[in-house]
Amino acid sequence: MTAPVVNCLTRRWPGVRLTVRSAAPLAKLREHFSGDFDHVSLASDIGMAMHDALTVDEVRSYSYYAELHATWDHRVADAARHLEALEPDAVLANVPYLTLAAAAQAGIPAAALCCLHWGDIFEHYLHGQPGAGTIRRQIRDAYASARAFVCPEPRMPMADLPNLHPVAPIGRRGVPRKPELLAALEAPPDTRVALLSLGGFGFDLDVSRWPRLPGWRIVAGMGLRGQHPDVIPLDALPLPYIDVFASVDAVITKLGYGTVAEAGINGVPVLYVRRDGWPEEPYLAHWLESRGRVAVLDGSALAEGRFVPDLQALVARTAPPAVEPAGADQAAVIVAGLLGASSAAPGTRPAPVAGA
């Protein structure tokens, strides 16, 4: 979500200097952020600790939040000093609230960017824990301190924030290259292909238990146990991820913003496994239901490889119009306003902006 916004910003105002503060590997960041940037390897929050791709670890999550907020004022002051050392003109945070609280204390203009905020997620899972009310209030106040909270469609309501700036969906549009994809898979021309990806957390899925998948190949964008003649690792393909995404006939996934938005943008049907009560899921599902082709897949059917009939029924539905990913440019204009660049000619204001 962040990279398309920053890429729009630096394309329209090429004098902007960028620092990306993230614990993600530098090579992965370079895949998404165009142009030059400085990199600070630092994780500003964990969101929620997870047992696996579908299940929140409530015990570890609460331990993290309780420790952070036990010395909240000290943590904010320390984070403010780190931000000041970077000397940014603006901060764009997706979506660590400690960074936003620190920017407010340091007097640095800041914007949040996300389809949710961690206060709502914390409240959903951990509202009954000791000190939960104080923690939730401090999280909310940190988000409210931002000059703008840019929230792309589809999103959670976040009705308690006074600074919301709704924008259109944010995501990449790939180049459909189905013939090249089938050639790389050594598959017949009438073969259908699904991308399997359950996000950035582990999920114990043994594909050696699956039966053959007649008429289908599965491109696995995640680690799996075992091997299967119809399952091919994404890393083995010579195509960029987003072009693979735009070329497949369906995606098998959990509902997360990036996959949902890019499914709508690229017109890809979605077969999804429900998450463990994740409160964002109903909003993502509703958006897909009104703008795309979507169906629920039972977790046991995925584990046992019994999903070809679900895929066949899904792809048989009429394809809706693709969604326009206008949100990145809309968000970039808001961030440019923090830099004082919204009314300036492109390239007239060289200024650092820190992304955290």
Side-chain angles (χ1 to χ4, degrees):
M1 185 190 301
T2 306
V5 174
V6 172
N7 293 341
C8 283
L9 178 71
T10 55
R11 183 170 60 249
R12 294 182 58 170
W13 290 275
V16 170
R17 297 198 313 274
L18 178 66
T19 297
V20 178
R21 194 169 73 174
S22 170
L26 180 58
K28 181 61 65 175
L29 294 172
R30 293 201 185 282
E31 288 180 20
H32 293 272
F33 289 89
S34 59
D36 295 328
F37 59 85
D38 295 323
H39 178 219
V40 176
S41 183
L42 178 69
S44 299
D45 71 21
I46 66 163
M48 297 295 283
M50 303 292 292
H51 288 296
D52 57 35
L54 303 177
T55 312
V56 169
D57 185 334
E58 295 185 17
V59 173
R60 280 203 301 133
S61 295
Y62 175 68
S63 176
Y64 163 78
Y65 283 100
E67 181 182 359
L68 172 62
H69 287 267
T71 55
W72 176 245
D73 291 341
H74 171 76
R75 294 291 189 97
V76 173
D78 189 52
R81 287 191 292 271
H82 282 280
L83 274 185
E84 289 172 329
L86 294 174
E87 298 184 337
D89 288 311
V91 170
L92 175 63
N94 187 349
V95 63
Y97 59 89
L98 176 60
T99 298
L100 294 166
Q105 186 167 117
I108 302 168
L113 169 68
C114 203
C115 53
L116 55 77
H117 73 66
W118 292 120
D120 284 345
I121 308 300
F122 175 92
E123 175 72 14
H124 177 80
Y125 286 103
L126 303 171
H127 62 274
Q129 296 293 336
T134 298
I135 293 173
R136 175 66 173 80
R137 185 168 56 254
Q138 289 173 334
I139 296 173
R140 183 265 177 201
D141 290 347
Y143 285 129
S145 72
R147 299 281 182 90
F149 195 120
V150 182
C151 44
E153 249 194 294
R155 64 182 181 88
M156 292 183 69
M158 298 183 279
D160 61 334
L161 295 180
N163 52 350
L164 293 185
H165 288 254
V167 297
I170 295 173
R172 297 167 295 171
R173 176 166 283 152
V175 178
R177 300 163 66 177
K178 183 69 177 291
E180 294 173 68
L181 176 59
L182 291 177
L185 297 174
E186 299 181 352
D190 60 346
T191 303
R192 293 191 180 275
V193 183
L195 174 66
L196 171 63
S197 179
L198 294 176
F201 296 91
F203 189 72
D204 188 20
L205 194 60
D206 184 358
V207 297
S208 67
R209 300 172 51 198
W210 289 1
R212 292 301 298 265
L213 309 172
W216 285 82
R217 296 288 190 276
I218 303 299
V219 174
M222 56 183 286
L224 301 170
R225 281 201 295 132
Q227 294 183 336
H228 190 284
D230 299 324
V231 179
I232 299 90
L234 175 65
D235 292 344
L237 300 178
L239 304 176
Y241 170 83
I242 191 59
D243 289 354
V244 172
F245 193 103
S247 303
V248 298
D249 297 281
V251 59
I252 303 172
T253 189
K254 68 179 183 182
L255 294 190
Y257 184 87
T259 300
V260 168
E262 290 182 343
I265 291 165
N266 292 280
V268 178
V270 174
L271 189 62
Y272 75 94
V273 180
R274 292 193 187 279
R275 300 174 73 173
D276 179 34
W278 187 252
E280 181 193 17
E281 182 175 273
Y283 301 98
L284 298 177
H286 175 73
W287 187 84
L288 274 179
E289 287 161 2
S290 62
R291 294 170 177 82
R293 291 169 288 175
V294 60
V296 177
L297 175 64
D298 184 82
S300 63
L302 176 61
E304 298 168 11
R306 296 183 288 103
F307 49 78
V308 168
D310 299 89
L311 286 172
Q312 299 282 46
L314 181 64
V315 300
R317 298 182 191 177
T318 302
V323 175
E324 286 299 319
D329 199 57
Q330 295 168 358
V333 170
I334 295 171
V335 178
L338 301 182
L339 294 166
S342 58
S343 60
T348 60
R349 179 179 171 81
V353 54

